[in-house]
Structure formats: C-alpha cells, structure tokens
Amino acid sequence: MTISGAEADLAPGPGTRSERKHAAIVGAAAEVFLSTGYAGASMDEIASRSGVSKQTVYKHFSSKEALFVAVISQMMGEADTAVHTGLPDVKDCAQLEAYLLDYAVRLLTIVLTPGLMRLRRLVIAEAQRFPELAKELYARGPARALEVMGSAFEQLAAKNLLQFVDATVAASQFNWLVMAEPVNRVMMLGDDAIPTEQEIRRHAEAAIATFLAAFLHPDQR
C-alpha cells in the first residue's frame, strides 16, 4: 500500500520528526490556502490535512499569517532555485541568444503553473489587508528576478555582448518582454490560458529578438 499526503510527510525519512511535521503543515497549508483563499482557510482544516493537532500547528507557526508567509517563502524559494542558475560561459552572440532563450523558457515554464498563478492572485486579493504578504511575494519573485538578471547582464556587458546604460533597466525590459503578455493572460483567464511548451518557446524567441535588437553590443551585429 502506498503512503500519500500528510502520512508520507510524517513517515520515516530525511529530517527530524519535528522537521517532517513542519514540512507537512506547510504542504497542507499551501493546498488549503490555494483552494479556499486566505480568509476561508481554516487552521483546523490545515491541521487535519497535515495529520497533526491544531496545537502542533500553532507550536510551529504563531498565526495563520505566519503560516501563509511560510507557504509563500517555500513556493517562491522552490521557483527561484528552479529558474536562477549560474551564468554559463557565454562567448559569442549565438551562445548569448541560446542562454537568454533557455532562461526565458525556464522562467515562463516555472511561473506559469497553476500553483504559482493561484498564489499570485491570492496575494493580490489580500494585498490591502496584509501588505507585508505582497511585499514578500514581490521580493522573492519580480525583485529577485531583476537582481539576478541585472547581475548577469553586467557580466555580459563586460564581455562586449550587451550594451546598455543601466543593467536594472535592461533586466526590467527583458522581464516584461518575456513575462507581461502570458502572465497577464493567465492571471485574468485562469489555468486554461496556460500556454503549451511550443507557445512558450515561440513567445520567448520573439521577446529575445526584440531585446537583442535594442541591447546587443554593436561589436556583435
């Protein structure tokens, strides 16, 4: 018989029993928050799904808000690890284009998932009541992406592959070229609007062509 859900999280495995309970609570909380919204989420339901008592939930997290922040932190941390990898040894225009395409496809594939889109909608819905939650999502999502890409672009500019006045501005424009249209569409239209792998690649290729038309170093033209 297979073990699933909270039982799997509390079964023998890596980490201490307390760490496994912590992980089970966060996993169950993510399911509840994303399915019922923040206001509708019940700590009783989270405790039930995680296979622990409500007292244990509060032992690990002082409040529902603290638990929500933990869910955001975990989901955004996992996305960050999946998207942001080290800068490869890019030496020419062809390698630059391949690097940017790989990054853009990876970014869109990770971000345009039902879980992250629901998290984004949920945080936006609660932004006025819990502004710190929106700040947390922004810091771990868009702000983190701009920081990483800005640093990468500075290294590429040092190799005379890109040319710009401000690396952060260049990173922001790259981000919006890649992300704006598909993210806005999925945010408004729901999971049915998530693009296919082929659609993601075509969109990324067009975005990178526009970006390089503006920021490719003259020596590479």
Side-chain angles (χ1 to χ4, degrees):
M1 181 178 67
T2 59
I3 300 175
S4 61
E7 291 178 342
D9 289 315
L10 296 180
T16 66
R17 180 173 177 80
S18 178
E19 289 169 343
R20 294 196 297 273
K21 286 183 178 180
H22 186 97
I25 294 166
V26 173
E31 295 176 0
V32 174
F33 283 131
L34 295 179
S35 63
T36 67
Y38 182 88
S42 161
M43 296 296 266
D44 288 313
E45 175 66 14
I46 292 169
S48 176
R49 290 201 190 193
S50 59
V52 302
S53 68
K54 189 162 71 170
Q55 181 181 8
T56 298
V57 173
Y58 278 110
K59 181 180 178 181
H60 285 261
F61 300 97
S62 60
S63 65
K64 186 165 75 168
E65 183 176 356
L67 181 50
F68 190 34
V69 169
V71 168
I72 292 175
S73 298
Q74 176 167 302
M75 293 183 70
M76 298 308 297
E78 290 171 351
D80 180 78
T81 299
V83 171
H84 302 305
T85 60
L87 181 67
D89 188 17
V90 175
K91 297 179 179 178
D92 55 37
C93 184
Q95 291 179 350
L96 170 64
E97 187 172 358
Y99 164 70
L100 293 176
L101 178 60
D102 176 74
Y103 177 86
V105 169
R106 191 167 64 249
L107 179 64
L108 286 168
T109 301
I110 295 299
V111 171
L112 294 175
T113 58
L116 285 180
M117 287 291 97
R118 290 169 191 164
L119 179 66
R120 183 184 288 251
R121 293 188 201 100
L122 179 55
V123 171
I124 290 173
E126 299 292 342
Q128 287 189 327
R129 189 156 53 136
F130 301 110
E132 292 303 317
L133 299 179
K135 291 179 181 178
E136 181 81 7
L137 180 62
Y138 181 79
R140 291 178 173 272
R144 168 67 175 161
L146 294 183
E147 176 187 354
V148 172
M149 288 308 298
S151 177
F153 287 174
E154 286 176 347
Q155 295 178 56
L156 293 168
K159 297 180 178 182
N160 290 334
L161 291 170
L162 294 178
Q163 179 175 273
F164 43 76
V165 175
D166 188 314
T168 301
V169 172
S172 177
Q173 294 189 0
F174 176 87
N175 184 71
W176 278 99
L177 282 168
V178 171
M179 299 290 289
E181 193 281 330
V183 169
N184 283 340
R185 179 153 40 91
V186 176
M187 283 288 291
M188 301 293 277
L189 301 180
D191 295 351
D192 289 343
I194 293 176
T196 64
E197 292 181 11
Q198 293 78 10
E199 290 170 338
I200 285 176
R201 189 172 185 86
R202 284 198 300 270
H203 174 78
E205 288 172 345
I208 289 163
T210 301
F211 177 80
L212 291 178
F215 293 106
L216 186 67
H217 194 282
D219 290 351
Q220 305 298 323
R221 297 183 188 279

